[in-house]
Amino acid sequence: MAYFSAGLVSGPSFAGRDRELELLSRSVRQSRNIWLQCGHREGKSSLLWEFKRLAEEDSENSLAVKIVDFRTCSEEMTPEKMITAAATELAAEIVAKGPLLRHATRSLKSAFQRLSPSVSVEAFGFNVGVNPDGIATSEHLSDALSGLDKIAEDNDVSAALIIDSMEILVDVDKGQRVETALRSALERSKSISAIFSGALPELLQQAYEYPTRPLYQICRPMLLGPITQREWT
């Protein structure tokens, strides 16, 4: 019998996904992209947030993870802007924990120079502001991911962007500009990877398995089924 949690589960309450967590960790360290296939309410979000939590608690600071959830995208907060912001935020987090901390401002400005960055020091780390006009295009997205890759490589970190609710992007990105920019950046990267996730397998299958789509065969499928009550208890 499958067992479904009442909500997001993480920390001591999380159970039954050791193999999947190890696979995600190994894939990110090898810069391999993953397509997480999962039905509704079968533990996808809990797995991703637990993976992020474990990465943050990694004593060696060798993993860095950021989650982008397209359920919050809008006309103001576009997919391009969300991914660009996530990339710069993750880069700032990596630098704040890394061995090159004293060169942080210079490193961040160099990595994101094409985006006219401003770097400030705040209470909980660094803030990287890009594109003073507030506009984010697919080109900005590609530049931001390239900057993140440079920061990750310089700090010997494996970084991952978890892109959740990917079916929303597939639906709204009619010109496939975002998908094209993602592929371009991921193919060039050495230290970053993407974990794509969503709730509509048929729609996502079009993005990853149709030869005419930009993300065709860029990621490995990872099937996630429900855990049993025995595994939970």
Side-chain angles (χ1 to χ4, degrees), residues 8-233:
L8 192 67
V9 177
S10 188
S13 299
F14 187 86
R17 298 292 193 196
D18 291 344
R19 184 184 67 84
E20 289 84 354
L21 288 169
E22 174 58 31
L23 178 58
L24 288 176
S25 177
R26 187 166 64 248
S27 297
V28 170
R29 293 183 190 279
Q30 295 173 350
S31 297
R32 293 179 176 174
N33 306 303
I34 290 290
W35 166 26
L36 183 60
Q37 297 176 314
C38 183
H40 183 58
R41 290 184 56 80
E42 290 186 350
K44 165 181 61 69
S45 295
S46 292
L47 174 66
L48 297 176
W49 280 97
E50 178 67 4
F51 178 60
K52 181 178 184 296
R53 184 187 72 82
L54 293 174
E56 291 172 345
E57 294 183 356
D58 176 26
S59 60
E60 298 179 354
N61 293 324
S62 60
L63 283 177
V65 178
K66 195 78 172 178
I67 295 179
V68 179
D69 191 342
F70 282 140
R71 286 178 296 182
T72 62
C73 78
S74 62
E75 290 186 8
E76 173 66 23
M77 186 56 68
T78 63
E80 294 94 331
K81 187 177 289 188
M82 292 179 72
I83 296 175
T84 298
T88 56
E89 289 168 7
L90 188 55
E93 292 173 13
I94 291 172
V95 166
K97 295 180 180 180
L100 306 177
L101 177 59
R102 62 194 179 100
H103 304 299
T105 298
R106 185 173 65 190
S107 297
L108 289 167
K109 284 187 175 181
S110 175
F112 297 106
Q113 59 181 322
R114 292 171 62 92
L115 298 174
S116 304
S118 62
V119 180
S120 59
V121 181
E122 301 184 349
F124 298 101
F126 296 91
N127 179 64
V128 183
V130 296
N131 302 333
D133 57 8
I135 298 173
T137 65
S138 56
E139 184 177 350
H140 294 142
L141 180 159
S142 184
D143 289 339
L145 291 178
S146 295
L148 171 60
D149 186 51
K150 185 178 188 308
I151 290 293
E153 184 179 11
D154 289 348
N155 287 270
D156 197 22
V157 169
S158 298
L161 285 181
I162 295 175
I163 302 181
D164 201 3
S165 302
M166 183 66 182
E167 69 276 3
I168 294 176
L169 176 63
V170 174
D171 184 51
V172 302
D173 186 27
K174 301 301 184 183
Q176 301 176 11
R177 293 187 299 272
V178 176
E179 290 182 36
T180 300
L182 281 169
R183 183 179 192 99
S184 176
L186 292 172
E187 284 185 329
R188 296 194 310 265
S189 69
K190 298 179 180 178
S191 299
I192 65 172
S193 58
I195 300 171
F196 299 103
S197 179
L200 297 177
E202 297 82 5
L203 191 59
L204 296 181
Q205 185 177 15
Q206 297 177 20
Y208 308 128
E209 296 185 356
Y210 281 29
T212 57
R213 298 298 292 260
L215 296 177
Y216 175 61
Q217 291 189 342
I218 199 171
C219 50
R220 295 184 175 184
M222 175 178 167
L223 181 61
L224 186 70
I227 65 172
T228 65
Q229 186 171 5
R230 179 179 179 182
E231 288 174 314
W232 181 266
T233 57

